Structure formats: C-alpha cells, structure tokens
Amino acid sequence: MSKKKDRVVFDANFFICMLQIRARNILGNLEIAANELGYEFYISKVVFNEIKAPHTYLDKLRQILNVEEILPNQIEEVKNDLSKYKIRFPAQDPDLSLVYIAKNLINSEDLSTVHLVTDDFKLVKNTSMLYKGRINILSLSSFLLKIQRTTTTSKTRKYFKDIWRRSLNYTLSYMIERSKTYPAEQKITWLIEKAITVTEDSILSQDLELENPDAGMKFEIGASRYLEEITIAEKYISNQDLSKSEEEQ
C-alpha cells in the first residue's frame, strides 16, 4: 500500500512572493522537500498564468506542479455552494478555481491531507466557510515554516528558515504599506495564529500520550521559544519599544 501524500494547492501569490524576495533555487528546494515529505503540488491553469516569470522558471515550475484546467461551470459550482451561506461577493473566479481543486482532492478515496497555501484573505474566508477542518489553510510563510519544522535535513532546514523569514518580512511590509486602504490588524493576527499552529503541530510529542493516554500530549521547549519570537514580532508591528536583547533576536 502506497504512503498517503499531502496535497498542496498553491495560490500564485506564493510564487510571486518568492520571485520578489529573489529566493534562490526555490523550485529545486521545493522539489527536494516534496520528495522527502511526501507532498504533491497543485495549481489551476488560470492561476498559473498569473505568475509572470522567465520561461525557464515557468518550465521548471510546470515540472513540480500539477497544473489543472478548471472550467467555468466548475467555478460556478463553488459559487453556488457559497451562495448557500449568503456570500454575495465571493473571491475572484481564478481564486475559486483553487477551491475547486482542493474540494476534489478532499473527496478522493485516499484521505490525504489537503492544504491551501495563500495570503488572499477573502479566499481564506470563503474556503474556511465551505470546508472548515477539511482543507488546511496555510499562509505563505506558514507553509515555509511547516517545511522547515518537519524536514530532517539540516541543509534544507537552514534554507527554508531563511526563506521563511524573508517571506514573512515581505508579507508584513506589503500589508503595512497598504494598511491605510486595507486594515491589516485582522490579517496580521491570522498570520501569527497560523505560524503558532504550524510550530505547535511540528513539535508536539506523542510519546507521553502513548505511554499514558490520560496525561495527554506535551509540548517541547521549542513552543515557548517560538511564542517569545511571536511576541517580539507583535511589539515590532505595533511600534512598541524593544529591549536590546529582543532587538538581537
């Protein structure tokens, strides 16, 4: 019996971010991570076409992604599902094509975990409304953090830690720049919550639960350490004074 794979559906903004921060050999490293961790990558054709990059980059991207053609009537299915929740202004059609892909993946027989990687907040809310608990939504930086926390290769961990920090800085800077037009507080909170969730999931130890089910799970020391980093990030975002030790972290 073949091992179940995690299916990851990407929004274009992930790769646009990687291009903006000039993430060196990101596609090669994603392929390495996919082979090690058992990931399969997906994107819709219409969203793929939103990625403006050199032909060599796009050709390589096609090699590691399953590019799916989604028809207008299939997008209408998603809109009809959303209308049942009285959503009058859903996410844009290209974004909903990703929801359709994820929907099909969670309905497959192998019961694989399905992730949607996006920083589009409307897409996040639409997907959560339809498939809460069934499609795991990750921000761009949280997906990178997930790889960094779960890979067993030190070189890969180091690479994705660097890319995670740079992508998070890019995302926060972009949101802050637009904060006068689009309030950023709710989205920043969501980014922080996703990062904490990924961190906790990756360092949970089930040893105690296996030995003593009544005791529940325990957290390793990394959880409190990462929560400290998140607290410092919150201070920075809200322009609070940082101590010298916090500035050095």
Side-chain angles (χ1 to χ4, degrees), residues 2 7 10 21-23 46 60 62 79 89-90 96 105 108 113 143-144 158 172 182 193 195 207 216-217 224 230:
S2 60
R7 271 71 182 272
F10 284 103
I21 66 173
R22 301 181 185 275
V46 65
K60 173 64 176 177
R62 287 189 187 93
K79 288 183 178 179
F89 303 105
L96 296 181
L105 292 174
S108 63
T113 302
F143 172 68
L144 294 166
K158 182 178 180 181
L172 290 174
Y182 302 100
E193 288 174 347
D207 293 343
M217 292 187 175
S224 59
I230 290 296

Side-chain angles (χ1 to χ4, degrees), residues 118-136:
T118 183
D119 270 354
D120 186 307
F121 208 38
K122 181 175 279 190
L123 175 58
V124 167
K125 290 192 286 187
N126 285 182
T127 307
S128 296
M129 184 165 290
L130 292 176
Y131 304 108
K132 186 174 183 179
R134 300 178 66 197
I135 296 175
N136 182 38

Side-chain angles (χ1 to χ4, degrees), residues 145-146 148-150 196-205:
L145 183 62
K146 178 178 175 64
Q148 192 269 332
R149 290 283 179 173
T150 52
I196 292 173
T197 299
V198 167
T199 304
E200 290 177 346
D201 286 347
S202 65
I203 59 181
L204 268 174
S205 171

Side-chain angles (χ1 to χ4, degrees), residues 17 141 163-173 191 226:
C17 173
S141 55
I163 300 301
W164 163 65
R165 290 183 182 277
R166 289 163 58 191
S167 71
L168 183 58
N169 182 63
Y170 169 84
T171 301
L172 290 174
S173 297
L191 286 172
Y226 190 72

Side-chain angles (χ1 to χ4, degrees), residues 182-215:
Y182 302 100
E185 290 83 358
Q186 189 177 9
K187 190 170 181 180
I188 289 173
T189 300
W190 174 72
L191 286 172
I192 292 171
E193 288 174 347
K194 280 295 170 184
I196 292 173
T197 299
V198 167
T199 304
E200 290 177 346
D201 286 347
S202 65
I203 59 181
L204 268 174
S205 171
Q206 297 188 33
D207 293 343
L208 181 60
E209 188 180 47
L210 291 173
E211 294 174 6
N212 182 7
D214 294 331

